[in-house]
Amino acid sequence: MKTKLSLFLLCVALTSGCSRYEPKEEPATIPPPVVVTRGQEEADKKEDQKETPKIEIEVTTERPRSRRRAVKVKGVYISAYVAGTKAMMDEIIRQIDQTEINAVVIDVKDDNGRITFSMDTPMVSEIGAVKKFIPDIEGLVKTLKEHNIYTIARVVAFRDPYLPEKKPELALKLADGSIYRDSKGLAWVNPYKKEIWDYLVEVGIGAHDAGFDEVQFDYIRFSTEKGINNVVYDEADMRGRSRTEIITEFMDYAHEKLAAEGIFVAADVFGAIIESGVDSESVGQSYGDMANHLDYICPMIYPSHYGDGNFGIEHPDMEPYNTILAALKGSREVLNRHKEEGTSQAVVRPWLQDFTANYLNHYIEYGDEQVREQIQAVYDAGYDEWMLWSAACRYHWGGLKTAQEAEEEALKSGARAGTAVSPGMPTGALQEGFFGKDLKRRTRKAA
């Protein structure tokens, strides 16, 4: 019964109507799990030194490493179009200044595979991926920093309709050699291709160069739509690795490369996969394993994405508090089982629902009250970071506290400002031994 509910849950999530989900029409064929030991990819390099009679000059081509500063995020999603429209962005910043929100998640590589501002990096330039929705990224980032707003770059990974048109060899292919496309006609790239991993890392570094503090990967999964069973993979690429193994291996690779540049790394995952092995294998996301290779893991636990009866709740969308609380309790149990002694684990930072799922048979209007209920459930589950999702970027600001009220609330609950209380600390932050205070200590400004 639990498996049936889990499968239905994922179907509901995939048909939610948001731009980052697609309908699930056919289960994927799962390759048998094979444990692959990865060898060391690069040997330690010794730098040649030349002696001179007078002075020694050390020359390095390595990029300077930034110091990573962990922040307890309370964020909202911002599309590239909105981020690039000054009047809209000014209004959002005005609202942020009056609330506890301290972070924004902005599209950098969007759902269509386009880079949303000028980025002069090798493959981005080679394929002409830039579509400048944000005309002045330097000015935008500068303004956000002036308002003490933490910046997160959303990078859509393996659903990429643009890259396969330029480099078909990187696309998912059918037996006849044609490019696989989902029900919306969008192509996907092949997660087994390391060239794609390097491209995503390149985009992440480009985002950091533009001033972003963190890279958050979305669509780090396989397609689950009808026709995916007809996709063929080259055994030379697969090397016996299953979906979950290759996605986890990508996360490990990306985290290692980006952390070396001083970038925090996060990943969005389906809430459905937290306790469901079936859903996990289908999309290639293992919640516990991924959490061991990330700074932040961001489960999309919108109440509207859970089927009737899930968690013993008749209609989850109609009970936002209970649904979020149950999902995050499940998160804690799974992560405790996957915790490896002596290692850090990703901080849990869930996506919460700030939209009305009127496509469901049983739903409620989401407003200030429902937003606050979900936030309270996050705290009651023992977590203290969260983000709000609205594809239209229309948020119920009235459901949020001021920064001062939120700080007083945290002090009353015993949480110290600047200290993550989620299971595990961000890997890089532990390595650097550096935690900052809360970004914002604002008082409410006049509207």
Side-chain angles (χ1 to χ4, degrees), residues 260-297:
E261 300 290 337
I263 311 168
F264 282 116
V265 182
D268 297 337
V269 299
F270 279 124
I273 60 100
I274 292 177
E275 297 185 274
S276 169
V278 174
D279 292 337
S280 178
E281 288 290 342
S282 179
V283 299
Q285 294 178 342
S286 170
Y287 190 68
D289 290 338
M290 290 174 69
N292 292 334
H293 299 281
L294 289 164
D295 296 310
Y296 300 95
I297 192 162

Side-chain angles (χ1 to χ4, degrees), residues 22-26 180 182-184 223-228:
E22 314 83 35
K24 178 182 179 183
E25 299 181 5
E26 183 177 276
Y180 162 80
D182 61 25
S183 61
K184 296 180 180 178
S223 173
T224 56
E225 291 194 26
K226 183 177 180 180
I228 192 65

Side-chain angles (χ1 to χ4, degrees), residues 343-392:
T343 64
S344 61
Q345 199 173 54
V347 168
V348 175
R349 184 198 290 156
W351 279 104
L352 306 179
Q353 177 174 328
D354 197 356
F355 58 89
T356 296
N358 55 13
Y359 46 84
L360 297 178
N361 291 328
H362 303 283
Y363 71 94
I364 59 174
E365 293 286 334
Y366 271 59
D368 295 348
E369 181 181 350
Q370 289 70 33
V371 166
R372 196 72 224 170
E373 285 182 8
Q374 292 176 89
I375 294 170
Q376 187 60 50
V378 172
Y379 299 149
D380 291 349
Y383 297 104
D384 61 356
E385 299 193 37
W386 45 265
M387 299 170 294
L388 301 180
W389 175 270
S390 165

